Amino acid sequence: VYFDFMNMKRSFNLKFELLNPLIDYFPKEDSFYLLARNKYISIQHELANKAQQVILEYPGSFAARLIALQKPPFLDPALREEERFTYLKDHFFDEKKFNDIELIRTNAYPTLAIEYMSLFGNPNFTQDQLEEELKKAVDEILYRSLDNDIIFEFIVEYLVGGFEKYHFDKVLDHIAESYSSEQCENEEIKSDLATRLKKYAELAEGKTAPDITIPDISGNEVTLSAIPTGYTLVLFWASWCPHCNEALPEVHTLYLAQEEKKYEVLAISLDKERKEWEKALEPFDFQWIDACDLKGWDGNAARKYNIYATPTMFLLDKNLTIISKPITVHGLKVALEENGLL
C-alpha cells in the first residue's frame, strides 16, 4: 500500500515539475494553458484523494501514518512562482504533526525536514545568505517538534549531524544558542548532544576561544595566547584530508601576502603518526607555526575547538575573540580584508 502510494507520488512530482513552468510562463490566452491549468489542479486532487483513501481504508496502519506526512499542500495555479514558494513555506506543515514516536525509525521526519529546508535555498545565495535562511527553516521544524521530547531529540540530532557534514557553522551556532539541551530526556542522547551543542554555543563568533598549548614541529610548546601578532588564524587540518592539501598552499599564499605581519597562522594537524605529518609538510616551506600533539581527533586542541571536520579555521584577535570562522579560502580572504589584514 505504501509503495503504491509512493510510486504515484513520484509520478505526481514529475508531472508537477513539468507543469509549473507552463503555469508560470505559457500565454494565458492560449487554449492549451487552460488544459495545463486543469491538469495542474486535477493531479493535486488525485494525490490528495489517494492519500485520504488509504488513511480511511487502513486507519492506524503504519502505511497510513507514513502517507499522512506525505500529503503536499494544494497550490492554486493563480499563484506566481515567488508566491508559490511563500505559500509552501507557510502551509508546508498543514495537517502534518511530529507526534508519532514509532516513525523516528523511518525516513519520515528527515524527509520532511529536507523537503522543507529545500524551499529556503537559492543558487544565487552566498554561504552566509543560505545559512540565514536555513536558520528560519530550522526554527519552524524544531517548533513543530517541541511537543514530544523524544522526537525533538531525534530531529535536533539529525539536523546537527547534517549541518556538521556540510560545515554550516552559523546554523549549528544558532541551534546551540536557541534550543536548550535541557529538553532532552534520553540521558544517552542528552550527554552527547548536550556536549556538542554546548561547544557550538561557546565557539560562536564573538565568543572567546579556548587557550591551548601544543608542541610545534621542533617539539617546542606553543601557547596560543602568547603568539605576539594582533590576530591569529587557528587552522585544523590533516595529512589524509584532500581538501586540506588543496587549501593549505592557498592559505599560505595569503599569509605571505602580508606587507607587515599582522596575523600569525597556527596550523594544527590531526595526524597521529609523525612521519605522515612531516611527509605532508615536506613539499611546502610553510613559514607559519606547524603544530601537532599526535592524538588525532582526541587531542586537547581538537576537543576544545569541537573539531569534527577538516579543514576548520578560526580567526581570532589578540584577546582570542572569535571574529570569523571561514569555511573556504575565499571566505578567509574576505575575513582578512574586512579586518584590514590583507
Side-chain angles (χ1 to χ4, degrees):
V1 170
Y2 175 69
F3 285 110
D4 282 347
F5 176 81
M6 293 306 294
N7 283 332
M8 182 177 180
K9 189 181 177 187
R10 273 190 287 274
S11 175
F12 164 83
N13 287 339
L14 175 61
K15 293 175 184 176
F16 208 60
E17 187 178 334
L18 294 170
L19 283 169
N20 269 323
L22 290 176
I23 294 300
D24 289 335
Y25 304 115
F26 205 84
K28 291 180 173 47
E29 64 276 7
D30 193 294
S31 60
F32 181 73
Y33 172 78
L34 185 60
L35 291 174
R37 182 183 180 278
N38 290 340
K39 189 65 176 177
Y40 190 86
I41 293 170
S42 68
I43 63 170
Q44 292 188 79
H45 285 317
E46 286 169 16
L47 187 70
N49 291 340
K50 177 67 174 177
Q52 194 60 30
Q53 177 190 338
V54 172
I55 290 168
L56 292 175
E57 192 172 348
Y58 304 96
S61 69
F62 206 65
R65 288 147 63 191
L66 286 167
I67 288 168
L69 292 175
Q70 299 283 341
K71 294 192 296 182
F74 179 83
L75 290 173
D76 191 322
L79 294 173
R80 300 181 182 216
E81 186 176 12
E82 189 174 325
E83 294 172 331
R84 190 162 60 240
F85 274 95
T86 300
Y87 185 88
L88 280 172
K89 288 177 186 177
D90 292 342
H91 296 274
F92 183 85
F93 292 110
D94 288 359
E95 301 183 52
K96 298 181 178 74
K97 297 185 183 299
F98 290 81
N99 61 359
D100 192 334
I101 293 173
E102 290 183 16
L103 295 187
I104 65 171
R105 296 198 178 274
T106 74
N107 68 349
Y109 296 134
T111 298
L112 273 184
I114 291 169
E115 287 181 354
Y116 185 65
M117 287 189 291
S118 71
L119 299 174
F120 291 77
N122 185 314
N124 298 318
F125 280 165
T126 64
Q127 177 84 10
D128 285 343
Q129 288 173 322
L130 178 58
E131 291 198 70
E132 286 303 314
E133 288 300 304
L134 286 174
K135 287 180 190 178
K136 300 174 188 175
V138 165
D139 285 342
E140 186 65 25
I141 292 166
L142 292 182
Y143 170 75
R144 297 281 174 173
S145 62
L146 278 173
D147 290 340
N148 188 294
D149 290 333
I150 294 174
I151 294 174
F152 177 81
E153 292 163 19
F154 170 79
I155 293 176
V156 171
E157 180 80 13
Y158 174 76
L159 292 175
V160 167
F163 290 129
E164 283 177 342
K165 180 178 179 181
Y166 293 103
H167 229 312
F168 285 171
D169 287 355
K170 287 185 173 63
V171 186
L172 289 166
D173 293 343
H174 176 70
I175 295 173
E177 292 173 353
S178 304
Y179 299 95
S180 170
S181 59
E182 291 174 2
Q183 289 163 304
C184 298
E185 298 298 331
N186 182 317
E187 290 303 319
E188 185 178 344
I189 294 176
K190 181 177 178 179
S191 175
D192 175 56
L193 186 58
T195 300
R196 287 155 72 193
L197 291 178
K198 184 171 181 288
K199 284 290 184 184
Y200 290 128
E202 291 172 350
L203 292 165
E205 289 183 14
K207 299 294 179 68
T208 301
D211 199 8
I212 49 174
T213 298
I214 189 167
D216 66 12
I217 194 75
S218 301
N220 301 314
E221 295 289 321
V222 177
T223 298
L224 176 58
S225 59
I227 294 174
T229 49
Y231 295 82
T232 304
L233 176 70
V234 182
L235 190 165
F236 289 89
W237 70 286
S239 66
W240 33 260
C241 167
H243 300 297
C244 301
N245 295 325
E246 293 175 7
L248 260 65
E250 296 179 36
V251 175
H252 193 243
T253 299
L254 293 176
Y255 175 73
L256 295 178
Q258 301 177 85
E259 292 183 5
E260 58 175 298
K261 187 183 284 189
K262 295 182 179 179
Y263 75 95
E264 184 58 270
V265 174
L266 176 59
I268 300 174
S269 170
L270 298 185
D271 282 276
K272 288 187 173 183
E273 299 294 331
R274 185 176 183 87
K275 286 183 180 179
E276 294 299 320
W277 175 37
E278 291 177 341
K279 183 180 177 181
L281 292 174
E282 198 174 303
F284 311 103
D285 184 24
F286 293 141
Q287 303 298 303
W288 56 43
I289 303 170
D290 284 302
C292 183
D293 58 13
L294 301 176
K295 294 180 181 178
W297 302 100
D298 296 321
N300 183 52
R303 284 189 289 104
K304 283 190 173 183
Y305 278 78
N306 201 31
I307 302 303
Y308 56 87
T310 55
T312 297
M313 297 180 279
F314 296 84
L315 184 60
L316 315 176
D317 67 10
K318 183 61 180 174
N319 299 316
L320 302 189
T321 302
I322 301 170
I323 58 175
S324 180
K325 297 196 293 183
I327 297 171
T328 63
V329 175
H330 175 72
L332 171 62
K333 183 179 179 182
V334 170
L336 293 172
E337 288 172 344
E338 289 176 346
N339 289 279
L341 303 178
L342 193 65

